[in-house]
């Protein structure tokens, strides 16, 4: 009986290894094939020996810099429905952090000073001079706030899309299990397992939107499979507590105008999380000379569902800010 059980375990292990090899070969063969359609549509800027991609369009007095949330592997395509609203009358830029979009994957620990320095240098090399209006989503709110803390003259305002606040990341650090899960996800993507779970790799709703052409949707999927949860994305999450603590130790950028857009999902509007986040935003806004909190109906990726409302709120906020000053 023991011999049969041992034999079964060996066969099962061999079957799993073989299956993983097949998945891995399948994934990387597709990555090679899909690379033919992955051509940068912006500028590649050599920063610290690696390429940082910046896409820009539109003209105007203000430059709105769009900064993607964690794991949004193809920002230029996923954020298009929102930034296309702004580029009708303003200049916009989408910065692919290292490991995102068409940028190279970084092999550092993703410290906040490194991330910010790369973003600033890439924008300057692209010919875009400060000050900027920053439009961060989710985790990139940390970079935007830190930017205003370190270089206040470069930040004309912040339009924050359901961002995580530095204080929230410090108050709720990842536990040991979560950190190992992050590392496990990264390992799984190196083996190509994510190819079997496309809905976890990119947002399927993007494919239902009209702001992308059929060709752009194919590029969006291919770029997402190529970049999803690479080393840079892993380290960015693992470093978020330390980066947030670094921000929390600096004075708040009180003079920077900030509009906090709080995404409120209908089925979650009375939850404990929503109430706490609402309070956190209100407390944070009180520390600024000019700040507003606006609730917008939708889920975390609010830029997909309410682009027109966000655009109008941003324009009204920046117009009021100018009149006050």
């Amino acid at each position: 009986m023991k011999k049969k059980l041992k034999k079964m375990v060996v066969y099962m292990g061999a079957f799993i290894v073989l299956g993983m090899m097949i998945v891995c070969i399948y994934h990387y063969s597709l990555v090679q094939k899909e690379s033919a359609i992955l051509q940068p549509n912006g500028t590649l800027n050599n920063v610290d020996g690696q390429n940082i991609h910046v896409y820009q369009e539109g003209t105007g007095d203000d430059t709105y810099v769009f900064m993607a949330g964690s794991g949004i592997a193809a920002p230029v395509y996923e954020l298009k429905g929102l930034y296309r609203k702004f580029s009708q009358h303003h200049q916009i830029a989408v910065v692919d952090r290292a490991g995102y979009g068409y940028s190279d994957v970084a092999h550092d620990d993703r410290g906040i000073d490194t991330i910010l320095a790369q973003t600033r240098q890439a924008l300057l090399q692209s010919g875009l001079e400060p000050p900027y209006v920053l439009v961060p989503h989710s985790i990139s709110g940390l970079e935007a706030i830190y930017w205003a803390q370190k270089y206040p003259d470069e930040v004309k305002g912040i339009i924050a899309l359901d961002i995580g606040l530095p204080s929230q990341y410090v108050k709720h650090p990842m536990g040991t299990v979560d950190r190992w899960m992050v590392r496990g996800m990264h390992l799984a993507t190196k083996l190509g397992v994510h190819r079997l779970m496309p809905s976890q790799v990119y947002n399927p709703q993007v494919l239902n939107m009209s702001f992308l052409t059929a060709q752009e949707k194919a590029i969006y999927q291919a770029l997402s499979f190529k970049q999803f949860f690479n080393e840079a994305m892993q380290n960015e999450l693992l470093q978020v507590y330390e980066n947030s603590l670094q921000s929390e130790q600096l004075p708040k950028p009180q003079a920077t105008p900030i509009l906090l857009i709080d995404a409120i999902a209908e089925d979650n509007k009375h939850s404990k999380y929503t109430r706490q986040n609402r309070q956190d935003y209100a407390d944070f806004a009180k520390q600024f000379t000019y700040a507003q909190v606006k609730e917008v109906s939708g889920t975390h990726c609010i830029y997909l569902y309410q682009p027109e409302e966000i655009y109008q709120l941003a324009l009204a906020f920046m117009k009021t800010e100018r009149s006050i000053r």
Side-chain angles (χ1 to χ4, degrees):
M1 185 66 180
K2 288 184 178 180
K3 287 185 177 181
K4 286 185 178 181
L5 183 60
K6 186 176 180 180
K7 201 172 186 180
M8 187 180 299
V9 170
V10 171
Y11 283 151
M12 189 176 294
F15 178 78
I16 291 173
V17 171
L18 179 61
M20 293 299 298
M21 288 177 62
I22 292 172
V23 169
C24 190
I25 292 170
Y26 172 69
H27 168 63
Y28 284 103
S29 65
L30 285 180
V31 167
Q32 184 68 26
K33 182 180 179 181
E34 292 163 349
S35 64
I37 64 172
L38 298 183
Q39 300 300 321
N41 53 358
T43 58
L44 290 175
N45 306 279
N46 190 297
V47 180
D48 297 334
Q50 58 193 14
N51 288 320
I52 301 295
H53 180 255
V54 177
Y55 173 79
Q56 55 184 294
E57 67 177 42
T59 57
D61 294 332
D62 288 337
T63 299
Y64 286 81
V65 177
F66 290 77
M67 307 159 72
S70 176
I72 307 301
V76 171
Y77 301 98
E78 184 155 333
L79 300 177
K80 184 179 178 181
L82 180 59
Y83 69 67
R84 184 55 56 88
K85 299 277 184 185
F86 287 81
S87 67
Q88 295 175 61
H89 303 289
H90 306 276
Q91 185 165 239
I92 70 93
V94 183
V95 181
D96 289 337
R97 295 192 299 281
Y100 287 75
Y102 293 108
S103 294
D104 292 341
V105 177
H107 302 293
D108 55 59
D109 65 0
R110 296 283 77 200
I112 189 66
D113 284 303
T114 298
I115 294 173
L116 179 55
Q118 291 175 350
T119 298
R120 293 173 64 239
Q121 289 178 46
L123 284 168
L124 289 173
Q125 288 184 33
S126 298
L128 297 171
E129 299 281 343
Y132 313 109
V133 181
L134 307 181
V135 190
H137 171 247
S138 195
I139 198 174
S140 63
L142 173 58
E143 181 185 359
I145 292 167
Y146 191 70
W147 196 336
Q149 290 173 307
K150 295 280 285 188
Y151 308 100
D153 292 340
E154 295 183 6
V155 182
K156 197 170 187 177
I158 300 175
I159 310 299
L161 308 179
D162 211 43
I163 64 168
L165 301 174
S167 59
Q168 292 175 324
Y169 290 120
V170 170
K171 188 176 180 181
H172 305 286
M174 281 194 292
T176 303
V177 174
D178 292 330
R179 296 179 72 85
W180 278 109
M181 284 182 65
V182 167
R183 292 187 176 95
M185 286 178 64
H186 170 56
L187 176 60
T189 58
K190 288 188 73 173
L191 296 173
V193 175
H194 63 297
R195 183 70 69 164
L196 306 177
M197 301 175 289
S199 64
Q200 302 302 312
V201 175
Y202 55 81
N203 192 331
Q205 287 300 317
V206 175
L207 303 182
N208 297 325
M209 301 294 181
S210 60
F211 57 77
L212 293 182
T213 65
Q215 174 69 1
E216 286 174 330
K217 289 177 181 179
I219 294 172
Y220 170 69
Q221 291 173 287
L223 195 53
S224 296
F225 279 123
K226 178 176 184 288
Q227 293 284 55
F228 182 69
F229 226 84
N230 54 49
E231 183 182 348
M233 292 185 186
Q234 170 196 249
N235 291 343
E236 184 180 70
L237 280 178
L238 294 177
Q239 188 70 18
V240 71
Y241 173 81
E242 288 77 10
N243 287 343
S244 299
L245 192 60
Q246 198 166 326
S247 174
E248 280 290 272
Q249 291 170 345
L250 296 176
K252 296 293 184 292
Q254 297 177 349
T256 302
I258 182 167
L259 171 62
L260 294 158
I261 293 179
D262 191 3
I264 307 292
E266 183 63 28
D267 58 356
N268 201 36
K269 62 182 181 180
H270 299 302
S271 70
K272 181 179 178 181
Y273 168 81
T274 298
R275 291 196 302 271
Q276 184 61 58
N277 199 63
R278 183 181 287 128
Q279 186 62 55
D280 289 345
Y281 274 12
D283 292 342
F284 187 73
K286 289 176 184 176
Q287 301 176 72
F288 288 75
T289 303
Y290 181 56
Q292 291 182 7
V293 179
K294 295 291 184 180
E295 294 185 358
V296 175
S297 179
T299 57
H300 184 51
C301 295
I302 194 65
Y303 49 83
L304 288 178
Y305 307 107
Q306 304 292 355
E308 181 62 26
E309 184 175 359
I310 291 170
Y311 176 58
Q312 294 301 332
L313 286 172
L315 289 190
F317 177 79
M318 293 306 296
K319 184 178 180 180
T320 304
E321 182 273 333
R322 287 189 184 92
S323 66
I324 291 175
R325 291 195 175 191

